[in-house]
């Protein structure tokens, strides 16, 4: 069996552990369904809770046409997938963990599509990243599973960092982190000087999440996950998150040239490129994975437009793809479970022994291929109508869409026709049998819905498509009619051409595969490039570790202070922030004496060969600093300095007695260390002088003066700052000191006392 996690033997599944998640998903689906009538009338529901009031961040959720469509797909397909999983993984020792991961992922996706606040949306975005990582790596005992999970995590995680930066820029540029507020200022946003950086950062996040070229390679590898996870991730959730975010931002960011060309070209190229790769696959699950890329590219292509046809095509194809893709993935899981293989060239003649599976596969594949009277046919007609409505080069993009659709037609035949109705004469690894009913319920229901919505398109038109178009364009009047027969027109001619070309590709796909393989092999291999990138990254990490972390304490300290010097000095030089020479006319003899005392202590520390003498000289420096505080009327700070200095001297003295003997024959690096120390001191001095040249900013002082008593009930401002306003910082600092002390103690315990000769 290709999917090593499949263990289905008992249709009753895993008992309550498996049924509770199904109940949760059904309850959520029922609640979202109850909202459909109000949303269909053009209403929306917004819920708001204060999250971080001091930063003006709220936890807000919005239910409108777009978010309701996604929520129904996520919860509805989620319920069927969870029911399927309960039998597919019946008796699996880690099923409880699996159910927790999958349910958490579903809830995170729901939070993502319902969030109306950028920060909240990002939190849910990252929760989907983490939970999908756990799901893809569920079979973590295999190298492939671990590699695929890490690859998905790194690629989407890197995009998420760019997305966060884009969200922050967007929020501060528009003065709000509420999406509904931002999108209401579309003209202001598109005219803002930060529009282009915001767009680039956000598209970096959405393109990696939705696997647009060249970030597509992680998605087929995510097939390492159990089949129910693949069905859920590919139909309505993980990979659709990027598409959802582009759709959500469409009202505020679309309509510019950069938006149009970026999404249109990236989407069209991804759709055609992925379709070619799909036809090459012999593993049914891999073939479906590449068709998901085609669908994501198509959806992205339409989001680049602003016409009513394009938005209606987007809304319709979103539902079409979710229904047939989830159904076909679950069908492939049934085939894998029944036969022990997913290889298209091996499978054949399953129609008689798996009639219900064959029925579901046939309905879903016909919708995928775009045959009437299925919803896929209506979606295909709308796609052609939408692509022809493009203002620039419509026929080029129509040709790309025609090619991708024809290839999808051929893949639909490979997945759903050949395994059931053609014979190969090759013995299967296992005697085939029909799958249990809990595994058949999902694919059958979803496939039948694809046919039902095709025959009765008004059901989908009024409940989901029109409200979704309203979310994208602001008016339901812009939505186009879903109909099986729109007359003889160009979309119909293109549909007929799709069927003819698709049939020819299906009949000749075996002969085409070698040529496609050579073509793909000659092109850059992004998946192999990923391994090269990781190997280079590990090599660089090993190299820099050898240089700056050789296990010698002196080098650690030197590297740390050298970095600080470069950062401070480089910044001051780059910003031309060098201060003017200070006025020394009021310097007294007392001041000069203190400088001489401190300088002498520092000089002795640098030149002495005795650790005890260096420690004592360093103490002189500390005492000199404390005396400076006394001279300038800060006795409390001086006392603190003296106490800290005394404590440091005692601790260092204890440590020095346990340190190993210095290598007397080694190279004396103290001159270099002294130069570095002097440079650090000089740079800090220059920074302080530069700061003193700027006007004193009293905003923080005034803030703490006003708020210390009303908010923290303390009259000592310093104490209030430490234990209330900076409570977590102070706790962190204390924790760091304790950890450092424990580490030092552990290190000293490993050093044997020096034996006297």
């Amino acid at each position: 069996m290709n999917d090593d996690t499949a263990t289905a033997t008992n249709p009753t599944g895993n008992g309550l552990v498996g049924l509770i998640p199904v109940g949760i998903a059904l309850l959520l689906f029922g609640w979202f369904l109850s909202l459909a009538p109000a949303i269909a009338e053009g209403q929306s529901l917004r819920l708001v809770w204060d999250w971080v009031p001091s930063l003006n961040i709220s936890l807000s959720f919005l239910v409108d046409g777009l978010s309701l469509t996604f929520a129904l797909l996520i919860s509805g397909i989620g319920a069927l997938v969870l029911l399927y999983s309960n039998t597919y993984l019946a008796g699996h020792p880690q099923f409880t963990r699996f159910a927790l991961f999958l349910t958490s992922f579903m809830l995170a996706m729901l939070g993502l599509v319902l969030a109306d606040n950028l920060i909240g949306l990002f939190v849910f975005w990252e929760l989907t990243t983490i939970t999908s990582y756990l799901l893809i790596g569920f079979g973590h005992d295999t190298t492939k599973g671990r590699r695929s999970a890490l690859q998905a995590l790194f690629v989407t995680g890197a995009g998420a960092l760019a997305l966060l930066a884009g969200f922050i820029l967007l929020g501060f540029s528009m003065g709000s982190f509420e999406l509904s507020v931002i999108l209401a200022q579309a003209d202001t946003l598109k005219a803002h000087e930060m529009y282009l950086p915001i767009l680039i950062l956000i598209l970096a996040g959405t393109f990696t999440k939705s696997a647009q070229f060249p970030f597509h390679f992680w998605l087929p590898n995510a097939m390492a996950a159990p089949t129910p996870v693949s069905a859920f991730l590919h139909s309505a959730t993980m990979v659709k998150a990027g598409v959802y975010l582009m759709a959500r931002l469409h009202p505020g960011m679309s309509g510019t040239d950069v938006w149009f060309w970026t999404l249109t070209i990236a989407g069209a190229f991804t759709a055609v490129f992925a379709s070619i790769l799909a036809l090459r696959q012999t593993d049914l699950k891999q073939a479906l994975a590449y068709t998901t890329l085609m669908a994501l590219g198509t959806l992205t292509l339409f989001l680049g437009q602003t016409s009513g046809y394009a938005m209606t095509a987007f809304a319709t194809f979103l539902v079409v793809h979710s229904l047939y893709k989830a159904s076909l993935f679950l069908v492939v899981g049934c085939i894998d479970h029944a036969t022990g293989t997913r290889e298209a060239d091996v499978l054949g003649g399953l129609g008689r022994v798996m009639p219900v599976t064959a029925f579901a596969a046939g309905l879903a594949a016909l919708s995928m291929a775009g045959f009437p009277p299925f919803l896929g046919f209506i979606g295909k007609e709308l796609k052609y109508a939408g692509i022809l409505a493009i203002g620039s080069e419509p026929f080029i993009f129509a040709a790309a869409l025609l090619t991708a659709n024809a290839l999808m037609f051929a893949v639909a035949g490979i997945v759903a026709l050949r395994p059931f109705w053609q014979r190969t004469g090759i013995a299967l690894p296992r005697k085939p049998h029909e799958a249990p009913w809990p595994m058949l319920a999902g694919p059958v229901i979803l496939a039948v819905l694809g046919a039902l919505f095709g025959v009765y398109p008004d059901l989908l038109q009024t409940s989901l498509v029109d409200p979704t178009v309203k979310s994208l364009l602001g008016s339901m009047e812009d939505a186009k009619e879903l109909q099986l027969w729109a007359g003889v027109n160009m979309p119909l001619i293109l549909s007929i051409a799709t069927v003819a070309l698709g049939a020819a590709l299906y009949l000749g796909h075996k002969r085409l595969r070698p040529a496609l393989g050579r073509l793909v092999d000659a092109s850059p291999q992004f998946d192999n490039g990923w391994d090269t990138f990781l190997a280079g990254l590990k090599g660089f990490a090993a190299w820099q570790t050898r240089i700056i972390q050789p296990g010698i304490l002196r080098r650690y300290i030197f590297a740390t202070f050298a970095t600080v010097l470069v950062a401070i000095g480089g910044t001051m030089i780059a910003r031309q922030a060098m201060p003017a020479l200070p006025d020394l006319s009021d310097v007294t003899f007392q001041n000069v004496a203190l400088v001489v005392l401190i300088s002498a202590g520092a000089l002795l520390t640098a030149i002495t060969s005795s650790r005890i003498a260096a420690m004592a000289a360093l103490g002189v420096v500390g005492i000199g600093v404390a005396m400076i505080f006394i001279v300038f009327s800060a006795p409390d700070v001086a006392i603190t300095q003296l106490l800290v200095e005394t404590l440091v001297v005692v601790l260092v003295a204890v440590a020095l007695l346990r340190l190993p003997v210095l290598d007397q024959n080694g190279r004396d690096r103290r001159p270099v260390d002294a130069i570095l120390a002097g440079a650090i001191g000089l740079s800090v001095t220059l920074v302080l002088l530069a700061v003193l040249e700027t006007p004193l900013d009293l905003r923080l002082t005034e803030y703490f003066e006003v708020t210390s008593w009303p908010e923290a009930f303390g009259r000592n401002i310093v104490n209030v700052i430490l234990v209330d306003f900076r409570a977590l910082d102070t706790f962190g600092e204390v924790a760091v000191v304790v950890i450092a002390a424990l580490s030092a103690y552990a290190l000293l315990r490993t050093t044997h006392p020096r034996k006297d000769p």
Side-chain angles (χ1 to χ4, degrees):
M1 186 176 291
N2 288 335
D3 193 339
D4 294 335
T5 59
T7 59
T9 55
N10 183 3
T12 59
N14 297 281
L16 282 178
V17 174
L19 295 177
I20 289 175
V22 179
I24 294 173
L26 285 175
L27 286 175
L28 289 169
F29 180 77
W31 184 69
F32 289 124
L33 196 61
S34 69
L35 300 176
I39 302 301
E41 294 176 356
Q43 301 177 25
S44 60
L45 174 65
R46 192 167 186 269
L47 305 172
V48 182
W49 289 274
D50 286 340
W51 187 5
V52 188
S54 59
L55 298 178
N56 197 27
I57 297 177
S58 302
L59 192 60
S60 54
F61 298 96
L62 174 68
V63 182
D64 63 353
L66 179 64
S67 57
L68 180 65
T69 300
F70 270 91
L72 285 171
L73 292 173
I74 293 166
S75 56
I77 295 176
L80 295 172
V81 168
L82 285 164
L83 177 65
Y84 182 98
S85 305
N86 189 32
T87 301
Y88 188 80
L89 296 176
H92 194 289
Q94 301 297 334
F95 179 79
T96 303
R97 179 186 301 176
F98 175 85
L100 175 64
F101 292 164
L102 194 57
T103 306
S104 301
F105 176 75
M106 178 186 69
L107 296 176
M109 269 303 303
L110 287 173
L112 191 157
V113 301
L114 295 172
D116 192 39
N117 181 277
L118 290 174
I119 303 302
L121 191 153
F122 182 77
V123 170
F124 288 115
W125 181 282
E126 284 302 81
L127 286 175
T128 65
T129 301
I130 295 170
T131 49
S132 63
Y133 163 74
L134 297 172
L135 288 169
I136 296 170
F138 185 67
H140 54 80
D141 52 342
T142 65
T143 303
K144 180 181 178 184
R146 294 192 298 272
R147 178 183 183 273
S148 300
L150 280 175
Q151 189 180 64
L153 178 69
F154 287 169
V155 174
T156 58
L161 292 177
L163 182 69
L164 178 60
F167 278 178
I168 292 173
L169 283 179
L170 179 60
F172 281 109
S173 298
M174 302 307 295
S176 174
F177 283 86
E178 296 297 309
L179 272 166
S180 52
V181 175
I182 294 171
L183 299 180
Q185 309 173 64
D187 293 337
T188 304
L189 173 58
K190 284 181 277 193
H192 200 281
E193 60 181 357
M194 297 303 293
Y195 171 78
L196 184 58
I198 291 171
L199 179 62
I200 292 172
L201 291 169
I202 289 179
L203 289 185
T206 58
F207 276 20
T208 51
K209 195 81 164 184
S210 60
Q212 298 296 303
F213 182 89
F215 309 109
H216 61 283
F217 54 89
W218 70 265
L219 192 147
N221 290 336
M223 292 300 99
T227 296
V229 175
S230 302
F232 202 30
L233 264 64
H234 282 243
S235 61
T237 53
M238 172 77 166
V239 296
K240 293 276 179 65
V243 171
Y244 166 79
L245 184 55
M246 287 186 281
R248 175 54 71 197
L249 296 174
H250 185 277
M253 305 192 77
S254 66
T256 62
D257 287 345
V258 64
W259 173 277
F260 168 77
W261 287 111
T262 303
L263 269 66
T264 303
I265 293 175
F269 187 85
T270 301
V272 176
F273 177 74
S275 301
I276 294 173
L277 292 178
L279 191 65
R280 183 196 177 195
Q281 308 303 317
T282 58
D283 184 328
L284 298 181
K285 201 173 169 184
Q286 284 288 332
L288 289 177
Y290 280 103
T291 63
T292 299
L293 288 176
M294 176 272 176
L296 296 173
T298 303
L299 291 170
T300 302
L301 185 157
F302 283 112
L303 285 175
Q305 325 307 315
T306 55
S307 70
Y309 269 118
M311 295 303 102
T312 307
F314 167 81
T316 307
F317 186 57
L318 176 70
V319 178
V320 173
H321 174 258
S322 299
L323 295 179
Y324 77 67
K325 184 53 61 66
S327 178
L328 287 176
F329 261 118
L330 297 179
V331 162
V332 170
C334 293
I335 294 173
D336 192 10
H337 163 251
T339 66
T341 182
R342 302 191 303 252
E343 283 297 316
D345 293 339
V346 176
L347 293 165
L350 299 178
R352 290 187 177 181
V353 291
M354 303 179 69
V356 181
T357 305
F359 171 73
L363 293 184
L366 288 171
S367 187
M368 177 179 173
F371 274 103
F374 294 90
L375 184 61
F377 173 76
I378 299 175
K380 188 174 59 177
E381 294 276 294
L382 286 169
K383 284 192 292 183
Y384 284 131
I387 208 75
L388 293 172
I390 293 179
S392 299
E393 311 298 341
F395 291 103
I396 294 178
F397 294 113
L401 190 60
L402 171 64
T403 304
N405 282 335
L407 288 164
M408 287 304 95
F409 183 100
V411 174
I414 294 171
V415 173
L417 180 61
R418 180 183 173 84
F420 295 100
W421 307 113
Q422 291 187 0
R423 294 190 177 276
T424 61
I426 301 175
L428 297 173
R430 185 181 302 162
K431 184 179 180 181
H433 57 84
E434 187 59 278
W437 73 264
M439 293 176 61
L440 293 172
V444 170
I445 291 174
L446 295 170
V448 169
L449 283 176
L452 180 67
F453 287 140
V455 177
Y456 302 102
D458 288 346
L459 294 175
L460 192 66
Q461 175 100 51
T462 55
S463 59
L464 296 181
V465 173
D466 288 354
T468 300
V469 173
K470 179 179 183 294
S471 299
L472 297 170
L473 297 179
S475 171
M476 289 188 186
E477 302 299 324
D478 293 319
K480 304 303 177 184
E481 184 180 359
L482 274 63
Q483 51 188 345
L484 278 171
W485 176 251
V488 179
N489 51 22
M490 184 57 73
L492 180 63
I493 295 172
L494 290 172
S495 291
I496 295 172
T498 301
V499 173
L501 182 58
L505 288 170
Y506 172 72
L507 294 175
H509 73 275
K510 282 194 172 182
R511 289 187 292 274
L512 284 173
R513 275 179 181 158
L516 292 176
R518 289 191 294 272
L519 176 65
V520 173
D521 292 341
S523 60
Q525 300 296 309
F526 291 91
D527 193 36
N528 296 337
W530 171 259
D531 292 331
T532 305
F533 169 74
L534 282 188
L537 192 62
K538 290 171 64 177
F540 175 75
W543 171 79
Q544 62 90 20
T545 301
R546 287 195 300 270
I547 297 298
I548 64 175
Q549 296 185 14
I552 302 173
L553 184 58
R554 171 178 284 166
R555 290 194 187 179
Y556 291 165
I557 297 175
F558 187 90
T560 301
F561 281 101
T563 303
V564 172
L565 176 63
V566 171
I568 296 177
T571 302
M572 294 194 69
I573 294 173
R575 304 291 295 270
Q576 298 181 347
M578 291 298 176
L581 290 175
D583 182 10
L584 302 177
S585 59
D586 57 346
V587 173
T588 64
F589 174 76
Q590 190 179 37
N591 300 144
V592 175
L594 287 175
V595 171
V596 171
L597 176 66
I598 293 172
S599 301
L603 182 62
L604 180 59
T605 303
I607 64 175
T608 183
S609 59
S610 168
R611 282 175 171 156
I612 296 298
M615 178 192 65
L618 203 59
V620 171
V621 174
I623 292 172
V625 173
M627 293 178 69
I628 290 178
F629 289 131
I630 293 175
V631 169
F632 289 94
S633 305
D636 53 340
V637 182
I639 292 173
T640 304
Q641 171 70 24
L642 282 173
L643 291 175
V644 170
E645 195 65 36
T646 303
L647 181 62
V648 168
V649 169
V650 172
L651 292 176
V652 172
V654 172
L656 291 181
L657 294 175
R658 304 297 299 270
L659 288 177
V661 179
L662 289 175
D663 183 6
Q664 300 295 335
N665 299 321
R667 180 181 173 187
D668 190 356
R669 300 180 182 275
R670 281 180 296 173
V672 178
D673 296 340
I675 293 173
L676 177 62
I680 286 285
L682 177 62
S683 63
V684 172
T685 302
L686 292 175
V687 168
L688 291 176
L689 290 175
V691 170
L692 291 175
E693 289 181 351
T694 60
L696 187 59
D697 188 347
L698 295 175
R699 284 180 297 173
L700 280 178
T701 304
E702 294 167 350
Y703 171 79
F704 289 124
E705 287 177 349
V706 173
T707 58
S708 289
W709 173 251
E711 294 191 9
F713 304 102
R715 298 190 184 282
N716 187 315
I717 295 177
V718 175
N719 289 346
V720 168
I721 292 174
L722 289 176
V723 301
D724 288 289
F725 292 108
R726 294 183 65 246
L728 288 177
D729 290 346
T730 303
F731 178 77
E733 291 167 359
V734 173
V736 168
V737 171
V738 172
I739 292 171
L742 292 174
S743 302
Y745 176 74
L747 288 172
L748 293 173
R749 291 269 299 177
T750 60
T751 304
H752 298 291
R754 181 178 54 186
K755 295 181 179 180
D756 295 333

